[in-house]
Amino acid sequence: MNTQIIKIDQQNIDKEAIKEASRWIQKKELVAFPTETVYGLGADGLDPEASAKIYAAKGRPSDNPLILHISDIEQLTPLVREIPNAAVKAMRAFWPGPMTMILNKSDIVPFETTGGLSTVAVRMPNHPIALALISESGCPIAAPSANASGRPSPTRAEHVYEDMNGKIPCILDGGMVGIGIESTIIDFSGDTPMILRPGFITKERLEEVIGEPVGIDPAVLNMKKMDGIAPKAPGMKYRHYAPKAKMILVSGREQSVISYINEKTEEAHRDHKKVGVIGTDETIPMYKADVVLSIGTSSSDRTIAHFLYDVLRTFDHEEVDMIYSQVFESGEHGFAIMNRLMKAAGYDRVEV
Ligand code: AMP
Ligand code: MG
C-alpha cells in the first residue's frame, strides 16, 4: 500500500486536505492524524472491520481496547448508557483536552472497538486538525497511538511514517504535537472515579473539578514489574513505549547519578558497547557517553513530557546498545512521566 503524507497547517486548515482524509475514514480505511497528546491511528469507531484494521496495522493485541474520539459533546450520548454527574463535571472542565472517560457502552459501539469490554473509552481531543477530521468524517474515530505496538508513541508525523509506511493509506502531518504524552484515563463506570492511566491532567486537578476523591488503579501505583496485579486499562499490562536498547533508570543525588552513569559508560566502552544517556539541559555536559540527549529542562516538567518519546526514538536511530536515564519525578507531570519511563525501562531502576 502506498502511504500518502498530507502536510497541513493547524493555524490555517486546508479543507480539501481534511475532505481527502475523511474519504479514507468513510471507506473504512485508516488515517493517522495529530492530536494535542500524540499522533493517533484513526478509523470509523462504529465499524467492526475498520477497527480490526487498526489492530492489524499496529500488531496490537485484540484485548487492548481503543479510545473513541469525538468532536462534539452531542456525539457522546449515543455511545454510552449513562453519564454520571462526576463525568459531566470532568467533561465540562477538560474537553476538548487530554482526558479520556470510561463509561458503560451502548449497543452501537462494537466489541471489536472495546476489546470485548462492556465499557467504552471516549475523548474529545484539543487539536484543530483532529476535530476537523472527526467532524468531516461524520463518525466517532477510534484511535490508539499511531505507533507499532510496544514502540514509543509518535509525537511527529515522521515517527508515524517509520512504523506505518506501507500499512496505511494516509498520514496527516500537522508537525510536532504539543503535550507529548497520552491522555489521562478515568474510569467513571464504578462507584468512585478511578485513574487507570496517569496523563497530563493530574489527580489533584480532577478532584478539584469533580469535588470528590479520585482513586488510582493499584496496578498504576505499583512501579515494579507487575506481579499478578491486572491493570484495569488492558493496554497498561503490555511492554510499552520501549526503545530497542535496554534502558536502566538511575536515581539518587544528582552528582552520584552522573558519576555512576559515567562509570557504567567506561565499563561498557571496554566491551566496545555504544552507550546512550538521557539527561537534562543542565546535566548533559557532564556525561561521557556516545549519545547524550537532553529530555528538556529540569525547571519544566512540561518540556520533559514533550520530548520523552522523541528522545527514546532517537536512540533507535543511533543504534546504541544500552541507555541510562536520570529520573524525572518532580513537578505536576512527574508521575505520568515516570509511569511511561518505568515501562520503557521494563521497570529496571537502580538507586545510587
Ligand atoms: P492508546 O490509545 O494507544 O493510548 O491506548 C488506549 C488505552 O486506553 C489502552 O491502555 C487501553 O487499554 C485503554 N482503554 C481503552 N478502552 C478502555 C476501557 N473500556 N476500559 C479500560 N481501559 C481502556
Ligand atoms: Mg498507545
Side-chain angles (χ1 to χ4, degrees), residues 38-39 58 60 64 143-154 182 197 235 240-241 309:
V38 300
Y39 271 77
K58 281 183 61 99
R60 183 172 174 109
N64 188 2
S145 50
N147 50 287
S149 200
R151 296 214 62 215
S153 301
E182 299 84 347
R197 176 175 73 184
H240 224 131
Y241 317 120
Y309 292 131

Side-chain angles (χ1 to χ4, degrees), residues 35-258:
T35 77
E36 81 279 32
T37 59
V38 300
Y39 271 77
L41 182 60
D44 181 341
L46 299 184
D47 185 277
E49 277 165 39
S51 284
K53 287 182 185 167
I54 294 179
Y55 289 92
K58 281 183 61 99
R60 183 172 174 109
S62 61
D63 70 344
N64 188 2
L66 309 174
I67 295 172
L68 285 182
H69 292 71
I70 59 175
S71 55
D72 195 303
I73 299 242
E74 311 241 297
Q75 282 175 295
L76 177 65
T77 319
L79 303 176
V80 299
R81 288 212 182 286
E82 69 276 307
I83 310 173
N85 245 331
V88 173
K89 289 184 192 160
M91 175 171 108
R92 285 208 181 119
F94 299 117
W95 276 3
M99 186 217 41
T100 297
M101 305 199 303
I102 309 287
L103 297 165
N104 286 312
K105 82 172 193 69
S106 71
D107 293 338
I108 67 164
V109 180
F111 284 109
E112 282 76 3
T113 300
T114 67
L117 297 174
S118 58
T119 52
V120 62
V122 188
R123 166 167 118 84
M124 189 191 297
N126 186 15
H127 194 294
I129 297 175
L131 293 171
L133 178 69
I134 300 161
S135 115
E136 186 65 35
S137 301
C139 59
I141 293 187
S145 50
N147 50 287
S149 200
R151 296 214 62 215
S153 301
T155 52
R156 305 174 187 269
E158 291 80 1
H159 300 160
V160 179
Y161 188 77
E162 271 169 24
D163 287 13
M164 293 296 152
N165 180 24
K167 295 183 180 157
I168 63 173
C170 179
I171 300 173
L172 284 177
D173 178 355
M176 192 175 189
V177 301
I179 292 180
I181 55 173
E182 299 84 347
S183 59
T184 306
I185 301 182
I186 311 125
D187 185 357
F188 287 103
S189 70
D191 293 337
T192 307
M194 293 284 281
I195 293 181
L196 306 190
R197 176 175 73 184
F200 198 73
I201 291 175
T202 60
K203 177 177 183 292
E204 290 70 29
R205 286 197 63 202
L206 277 160
E207 285 177 335
E208 237 172 69
V209 161
I210 298 173
E212 56 178 285
V214 170
I216 301 184
D217 185 22
V220 172
L221 290 171
N222 182 19
M223 287 275 192
K224 299 197 291 280
K225 226 173 218 130
M226 269 158 220
D227 320 307
I229 307 183
K232 276 202 79 191
M236 300 297 280
K237 73 175 175 268
Y238 294 107
R239 182 163 184 267
H240 224 131
Y241 317 120
K244 288 172 186 154
K246 172 88 203 105
M247 180 156 98
I248 297 170
L249 309 185
V250 186
S251 57
R253 264 195 335 115
E254 191 169 277
Q255 265 318 314
S256 319
V257 169
I258 294 166

